[in-house]
Amino acid sequence: MSTVFPVIPFVLATALGVNGVRSRKLTPSGAATAFVVAFLMMAAPVRAIGASLIVFYLLATQATKYGNKRKAQLEEGFQDAGYRTGWQVLCNSTAAFVAAIVWSMTFTPNVLPWSVLPSILPQGPLYDSESCQFACCLGDTLASELGILSASPPILLTTLKSVPPGTNGAISVGGTLASVAGGCVVGLTIFASLVVENSACRAEWMGILPSLVLWGTVAGLLGSMLDSFLGATLQRTRYSVDSKRILQDASVPREKESIKVVSGLNLLNNNQVRPVTSNQPCGLINVRIGEPNLFHGDGGGSRVACLARPKRHRF
């Protein structure tokens, strides 16, 4: 069997990487990492994987830029375009990246330059890992980037006491709603992609729509809440009494600057928290969705029937 080079995923991944560098959304290492991750994920046989990646990237970067002047007043060292590094890209995509590669190796070994894994892996858990991670990450990102601008004062998740905007572990009405919306958007994106590309999914759309939207929404909320819990307990938040701004993890206080520790232990930073907040909820959801009769009949019913026949794309 000859290997088919995925041209369209290559072009789209290149465009995302170039856009990231030119708009200062990504560092050079971030752009290079994003290109590799996006190319291999979008080369997967199910277009919903690439679609959810693109939606996550576009919404997350726009949310980061939104209200940048106000954010700069609240956070020391705020980067107005969210200049993401390669490590940060991986923190937001590792589980989905691995799931997409394994799926491609299983169902379309002629598309990617390897064919070492037999087609014996279950589709459901692989696909759920991908969709769940983007739902968790988008929910958490929107909660962080939009919640800081919320009109209602934030409270610390563990104490329910008011804290300065931007505090790790703080929650607000606006941020919580944003996390729910983020997860829901990912679920709707995956649903729309599956229905457009797969006739089996179109025939069974009433069976897959509620489950994808429900668990996408749950993943977005869980990811945000877990991030807040870890931020409040294991991630230190420092506040400058002089400038009245939250200090970033890498911020170095000025000489004689009065610094107050608002919450948390100095054990984790943002990049270390993100893999946990996106992977742990996915593990719980994968266990839950694998239970018999959750969707329809035998072990997932219409959803499994839809995903069990991935379309064989040629590029």
Side-chain angles (χ1 to χ4, degrees):
M1 182 183 295
S2 60
T3 299
V4 179
F5 184 75
V7 177
I8 295 177
F10 180 83
V11 172
L12 290 175
T14 301
L16 289 177
V18 172
N19 172 265
V21 171
R22 295 185 62 178
S23 61
R24 290 186 60 81
K25 297 172 183 174
L26 301 171
T27 65
S29 70
T33 305
F35 166 77
V36 173
V37 170
F39 171 60
L40 294 179
M41 290 187 67
M42 287 190 286
V46 176
R47 289 292 177 267
I49 296 178
S52 57
L53 168 65
I54 293 174
V55 168
F56 166 72
Y57 172 77
L58 294 177
L59 290 182
T61 53
Q62 288 303 311
T64 301
K65 293 175 62 177
Y66 181 76
N68 51 19
K69 292 183 179 179
R70 175 57 178 162
K71 292 175 183 176
Q73 296 173 350
L74 298 173
E75 295 182 319
E76 183 85 23
F78 170 78
Q79 297 175 356
D80 60 357
Y83 209 35
R84 310 293 186 184
T85 65
W87 175 245
Q88 289 173 308
V89 171
L90 287 177
C91 288
N92 283 284
S93 61
T94 301
F97 177 56
V98 172
I101 289 179
V102 173
W103 190 326
S104 298
M105 293 165 66
T106 302
F107 293 110
T108 55
N110 63 313
V111 172
L112 298 175
W114 53 70
S115 56
V116 296
L117 194 64
S119 301
I120 59 175
L121 294 177
Q123 305 89 286
L126 287 177
Y127 192 74
D128 296 327
S129 296
E130 177 276 328
S131 57
C132 179
Q133 177 160 42
F134 284 130
C136 287
C137 289
L138 184 58
D140 181 30
T141 299
L142 295 185
S144 299
E145 299 296 343
L146 301 181
I148 190 175
L149 304 174
S150 179
S152 60
I155 58 175
L156 196 65
L157 180 63
T158 52
T159 65
L160 302 183
K161 294 181 179 180
S162 295
V163 290
T167 298
N168 296 312
I171 59 174
S172 64
V173 174
T176 302
L177 292 177
S179 69
V180 170
C184 182
V185 166
V186 172
L188 287 172
T189 299
I190 294 171
F191 166 74
S193 300
L194 289 174
V195 168
V196 167
E197 72 171 325
N198 193 312
S199 59
C201 293
R202 284 195 295 274
E204 301 160 354
W205 70 271
M206 293 185 66
I208 64 173
L209 175 60
S211 61
L212 287 174
V213 172
L214 170 63
W215 292 112
T217 302
V218 170
L221 182 60
L222 283 179
S224 175
M225 290 297 105
L226 181 56
D227 180 89
S228 295
F229 177 75
L230 293 178
T233 56
L234 302 181
Q235 190 176 2
R236 184 180 62 179
T237 297
R238 296 172 298 163
Y239 178 76
S240 172
V241 178
D242 298 331
S243 65
K244 293 181 171 49
R245 291 190 291 183
I246 293 292
L247 302 184
Q248 300 287 336
D249 291 334
S251 298
V252 178
R254 293 180 290 272
E255 186 177 358
K256 297 182 179 181
E257 184 176 14
S258 179
I259 303 299
K260 174 185 177 182
V261 175
V262 179
S263 64
L265 303 174
N266 189 23
L267 297 178
L268 299 177
N269 58 36
N270 280 328
N271 293 335
Q272 294 166 334
V273 167
R274 178 54 64 87
V276 177
T277 60
S278 62
N279 291 330
Q280 292 304 313
C282 294
L284 294 174
I285 289 176
N286 279 342
V287 171
R288 174 64 178 157
I289 60 181
E291 294 179 5
N293 305 316
L294 182 60
F295 297 107
H296 290 282
D298 50 346
S302 64
R303 183 172 169 279
V304 172
C306 169
L307 298 179
R309 296 187 289 276
K311 187 176 180 180
R312 308 296 175 131
H313 292 282
R314 302 189 68 85
F315 299 91

